Amino acid sequence: MRKLWARIKAALRASAPDRLAVLAGGATPEVIADAETRLGVTLPVDVRESYAVHNGSGDADVLAHRTMGLIDVPLLSLDAVVRDREMWLGWWEDGSFDDRRADPRGPVRAQWWCRGWVPVTWDGGGDHLCIDLDPASGGVSGQVIYFCHEVGPVEVVAPSWRAYLEGYAADLESGRLRFEGGELVALG
């Protein structure tokens, strides 16, 4: 995972060096274990390894999100992951979503929220990329899904967090994605 983050940072250095300064240092094994205890889940190895390299980016956007158009999003810190998941679980458990139905594409549970979803990014408006630890039939535990606060889960974005980051690194390295004037743009 360190090599993968090094690729992302090298590409960011070329088009958005200011984004490098916002990446937090890695979480210790104790911080990761504490977050897992608070979440009540065991995170996939690739997610734990990623957080050991960078534990969030504050409010600064360093990753890409393409499902509803291209936007850049921050990497949530483990504390923010716990906070956001508790928020969604609270609404789910109090029945706030009882009258809502979801119609996701692909092997994602067709319910508004699921205890097995762990948000790792946030778009500033209620949408997340989540690690799906409880996929529908045909899915893979640890797949990355897009969750929209207006329609619920939308689709699988990548088969794993590693695959998501590898795709992002490749897009930055090839120039298909780059930051221009502080905005993430798709080229070519």
Side-chain angles (χ1 to χ4, degrees):
M1 195 56 76
R2 289 194 185 284
K3 289 180 182 178
L4 182 50
W5 272 108
R7 288 175 54 203
I8 292 169
K9 291 189 295 189
L12 289 175
R13 192 171 293 111
S15 68
D18 59 313
R19 306 294 164 124
L20 297 176
V22 302
L23 283 166
T28 65
E30 295 79 17
V31 168
I32 294 168
D34 177 65
E36 289 178 319
T37 298
R38 292 165 46 205
L39 291 165
V41 302
T42 299
L43 295 169
V45 171
D46 60 344
V47 176
R48 287 196 312 267
E49 289 176 351
S50 179
Y51 274 103
V53 178
H54 291 295
N55 186 11
S57 64
D59 291 331
D61 301 330
V62 297
L63 299 174
H65 186 322
R66 289 183 181 247
T67 302
M68 300 286 211
L70 179 64
I71 62 171
D72 44 331
V73 294
L75 173 65
L76 292 175
S77 69
L78 287 168
D79 282 339
V81 167
V82 171
R83 177 201 65 213
D84 286 7
R85 184 163 174 271
E86 286 177 352
M87 174 189 67
W88 286 107
L89 280 175
W91 288 330
W92 178 63
E93 290 169 351
D94 78 6
S96 295
F97 307 134
D98 287 353
D99 62 342
R100 296 197 169 183
R101 298 293 169 250
D103 187 25
R105 295 182 293 275
V108 181
R109 294 205 175 275
Q111 58 194 59
W112 195 262
W113 186 257
C114 175
R115 181 173 295 285
W117 298 341
V118 178
V120 290
T121 71
W122 177 57
D123 74 344
D127 297 356
H128 300 275
L129 292 181
C130 297
I131 306 301
D132 183 358
L133 302 176
D134 189 20
S137 178
V140 178
S141 183
Q143 66 190 9
V144 180
I145 64 169
Y146 169 54
F147 172 82
C148 174
H149 74 284
E150 294 173 342
V151 299
V154 176
E155 66 185 359
V156 175
V157 173
S160 67
W161 185 240
R162 179 179 299 280
Y164 165 81
L165 290 175
E166 285 174 346
Y168 181 55
D171 284 346
L172 289 171
E173 290 167 337
S174 70
R176 287 187 298 269
L177 289 179
R178 75 180 277 111
F179 286 87
E180 289 185 359
E183 303 241 347
L184 184 65
V185 297
L187 304 173

